[in-house]
Amino acid sequence: MGKVAVILGAATAIGTAIGLTGAVATVVGGVVLAAGAVVVAKAVKKTFTPDIPSMDDFGGAGGPSTDFAASGSQGILINKSGSSSNLPVIYGTTRTGGMRTFIESHGTDNNDLHIVFALCEGEINAVKKILFDGVQVMSTSNTGQNSSWTFDVSKYSGKVEAHFYPGTDTQTANSQLNSVGSWTGSPHHKGVAYVYFKMTYDEEVFKNGLPTITFEVEGKKVPSTSDGTTLAFSDNPARCILDYLTNTRYGKGIAVADIDLTSFQNAETYYTSKGFHCRGNLDTKARMYTNMVDLFTSCRSYLAFGNKYRLIPEKIESTVQMTLDDSNTIGDVTYVLADKKTMFNKLKARFMNESTEYRDDIKIVESSTLQSNDNGHVLEAEIPLPYTKTASVAQQLLTEEINESRQSHMVELTATVEAIDLQVGDVVQVTNSTFGITNKQFRVVSTTIEPTSEVKLTLKEYDPDVYGSSIITDYKDDNNA
């Protein structure tokens, strides 16, 4: 019983920290947030309702659509005006529009036009390219604050100045901009990444008027998974998710002490091996729940609650932690089969493709063999991938989603105290003569300690073939054979 008390104490501490009370304190672990097939499975399997932190603690579902969900790339690349709209958070390398917060003509005959575009929350790594009407006109290899550019279209040389500020909390106002009449009070945009332009009028250069300006940026400096605090540029999903969870300005503000950094380090290594990346605009006006689910689409993972928050990728596990059978299970076993609501043979993803100038693109993955197996029915869905920017990664994500959707049986059972060390994400094998299964593998979705010290488990079907690069077309029986 000493071991049980320690685990319950840790669960109670984190439950109190995020405002949870009552039965939640008995939960050792459960899925808090997830994306893709895990969400589908949880939505359909109403039988299983483990007492884990509510989605409402992350803002709940619903709320306003993100810019990408509402308008695709046009919602990201458009220029906006005003200073009261929400700034996005930009992760990884992507292309974006800006928010025009200042515009005024000045100088002799008002020939000089001064414009400020706020880009996003800071601190970001760099603006690498500036485009006018979709044409790259300026570029640099510099990072950080920068006023030195290579002019890729020579006519703008001498007619356009661009000054980039990365959004540090200590940055100062541009001295040249301070001389402009209505730029009063020395606005410095602390914490905001922005670009200040000075454009000198030339009838030939600007014969079509003011261009639509977009920027290719290297986004947010995100915390290291080794200590949770050291900041550097990275597009690894583990580091971007860690940033959003811990940031106190636009994120959840969870203390680093409440994060299992080892799980984030392991996830970072796995994502690197798969080529998964997180590149895109996080819409700060959307609910935190919506943004977290969107982030998880980049890496097919979920956030687990226990004594700390753990990041768990959907991936091959090399170790089966234990066997559950009649000798260590108690009472009824509930077994839920997959149905057509959770099975797919065709998936379509919408994403901004970096190889086509960040235009909207569609990737379709389907299996005619599976469609034949499904009596000719096309079981399809569309998945937005707001943080995926390459067709190859989109294909891998969709392939795994199709595979997992067809390996989605679920089990709920109660085990003896032997199962007390199981964690969410662990793989177990189940033998049950009533259902005719022998050593069938499942992944742990939630663990709850009952007052009797028995352990209530929710399990989701596991198959290592899910995570390959090909669609599984052969039928897997209940012994994973």
Side-chain angles (χ1 to χ4, degrees):
M1 290 299 293
K3 180 183 253 186
V4 176
V6 171
I7 295 174
L8 291 179
T12 302
I14 197 166
T16 301
I18 62 176
L20 299 167
T21 57
V24 173
T26 67
V27 176
V28 178
V31 174
V32 182
L33 289 164
V38 178
V39 164
V40 173
K42 285 177 65 61
V44 173
K45 310 303 193 229
K46 300 292 187 181
T47 308
F48 307 126
T49 54
D51 291 321
I52 61 176
S54 171
M55 297 295 186
D56 291 337
D57 192 58
F58 286 82
S65 298
T66 64
D67 288 338
F68 179 81
S71 306
S73 64
Q74 291 303 308
I76 303 299
L77 299 178
I78 191 173
N79 287 324
K80 303 174 184 177
S81 299
S83 57
S84 59
S85 298
N86 296 68
L87 282 172
V89 177
I90 295 181
Y91 291 121
T93 299
T94 190
R95 189 171 295 177
T96 188
M99 186 180 301
R100 195 175 66 209
T101 59
F102 179 80
I103 182 168
E104 183 173 307
S105 57
H106 203 247
T108 304
D109 296 326
N110 287 327
N111 272 354
D112 293 331
L113 186 65
H114 302 266
I115 312 174
V116 173
F117 281 98
L119 303 181
C120 58
E121 295 277 355
E123 177 186 3
I124 67 172
N125 200 51
V127 167
K128 306 301 287 186
K129 300 175 183 178
I130 297 175
L131 300 92
F132 290 179
D133 295 326
V135 176
Q136 180 179 316
V137 298
M138 305 166 70
S139 59
T140 183
S141 59
N142 296 339
T143 59
Q145 185 173 323
N146 177 57
S147 299
S148 178
W149 305 87
T150 297
F151 282 87
D152 303 298
V153 179
S154 60
K155 70 178 182 179
Y156 292 106
S157 180
K159 302 299 180 183
V160 177
E161 296 178 23
H163 306 270
F164 164 64
Y165 290 80
T168 68
D169 289 335
T170 57
Q171 67 190 17
T172 57
N174 180 278
S175 58
Q176 184 174 221
L177 186 57
N178 278 338
S179 65
V180 179
S182 63
W183 186 264
T184 57
S186 297
H188 41 60
H189 283 30
K190 285 184 178 179
V192 175
Y194 73 96
V195 178
Y196 157 53
F197 290 97
K198 177 185 175 183
M199 300 182 179
T200 301
Y201 179 72
D202 184 299
E203 185 176 5
E204 289 302 314
V205 174
F206 298 105
K207 58 185 177 182
N208 294 321
L210 186 66
T212 298
I213 303 175
T214 53
F215 310 84
E216 189 165 307
V217 305
E218 290 179 354
K220 195 75 173 54
K221 291 186 176 182
V222 289
S224 166
T225 58
S226 62
D227 60 18
T229 56
T230 302
L231 300 178
F233 173 71
S234 173
D235 66 2
N236 190 287
R239 295 184 62 169
C240 299
I241 291 168
L242 179 61
D243 176 73
Y244 194 54
L245 285 174
T246 58
N247 193 280
T248 56
R249 185 156 63 199
Y250 51 77
K252 179 59 182 170
I254 296 173
V256 172
D258 289 331
I259 303 288
D260 182 345
L261 289 176
T262 299
S263 73
F264 280 76
Q265 292 173 36
N266 293 339
E268 181 178 12
T269 299
Y270 175 70
Y271 300 150
T272 299
S273 72
K274 297 285 284 190
F276 291 165
H277 57 256
C278 182
R279 303 172 188 163
N281 291 30
L282 183 144
D283 191 342
T284 54
K285 75 175 181 298
R287 292 192 179 187
M288 189 167 295
Y289 168 79
T290 301
N291 284 332
M292 287 294 293
V293 169
D294 281 353
L295 286 170
F296 285 135
T297 65
S298 70
C299 55
R300 298 199 68 256
S301 300
Y302 50 97
L303 186 68
F305 165 81
N307 60 328
K308 294 185 176 184
Y309 286 96
R310 298 167 56 229
L311 180 60
I312 304 177
E314 289 274 7
K315 65 180 182 65
I316 295 174
E317 302 294 341
S318 59
T319 303
V320 175
Q321 297 297 329
M322 71 178 298
T323 297
L324 297 166
D325 54 29
D326 292 343
S327 68
N328 53 17
T329 57
I330 302 165
D332 295 336
V333 175
T334 303
Y335 194 105
V336 178
L337 300 175
D339 59 35
K340 289 185 178 180
K341 294 179 181 179
T342 63
M343 292 172 59
F344 304 110
N345 52 43
K346 178 181 180 180
L347 286 177
K348 178 169 65 174
R350 181 165 54 93
F351 68 105
M352 291 171 62
N353 193 333
E354 64 186 24
S355 68
T356 61
E357 299 295 324
Y358 294 91
R359 296 186 181 92
D360 286 328
D361 203 349
I362 296 291
K363 186 67 182 178
I364 297 174
V365 174
E366 63 182 320
S367 169
S368 58
T369 301
L370 291 181
Q371 290 169 7
S372 177
N373 293 344
D374 295 329
N375 297 318
H377 296 294
V378 178
L379 308 177
E380 62 182 315
E382 180 173 320
I383 300 176
L385 297 177
Y387 296 99
T388 298
K389 295 295 182 282
T390 66
S392 59
V393 171
Q395 176 162 333
Q396 179 64 33
L397 293 169
L398 294 184
T399 298
E400 293 186 19
E401 285 294 330
I402 289 176
N403 286 342
E404 187 171 23
S405 77
R406 305 184 73 86
Q407 310 289 326
S408 55
H409 297 178
M410 296 189 76
V411 168
E412 186 177 69
L413 56 81
T414 300
T416 64
V417 72
E418 286 181 55
I420 203 166
D421 288 330
L422 288 177
Q423 297 187 79
V424 171
D426 284 347
V427 172
V428 298
Q429 55 189 24
V430 177
T431 294
N432 184 279
S433 56
T434 301
F435 294 106
I437 58 176
T438 304
N439 293 335
K440 183 173 178 62
Q441 294 181 355
F442 292 84
R443 193 187 295 273
V444 177
V445 175
S446 74
T447 64
T448 304
I449 296 178
E450 303 288 358
T452 58
S453 296
E454 296 162 353
V455 183
K456 186 176 181 180
L457 299 172
T458 304
L459 312 173
K460 179 170 68 72
E461 189 174 12
Y462 166 82
D463 182 350
D465 290 344
V466 162
Y467 312 105
S469 58
S470 301
I471 292 177
I472 302 171
T473 57
D474 59 317
Y475 175 73
K476 298 279 183 174
D477 66 23
D478 281 337
N479 295 321
N480 292 109

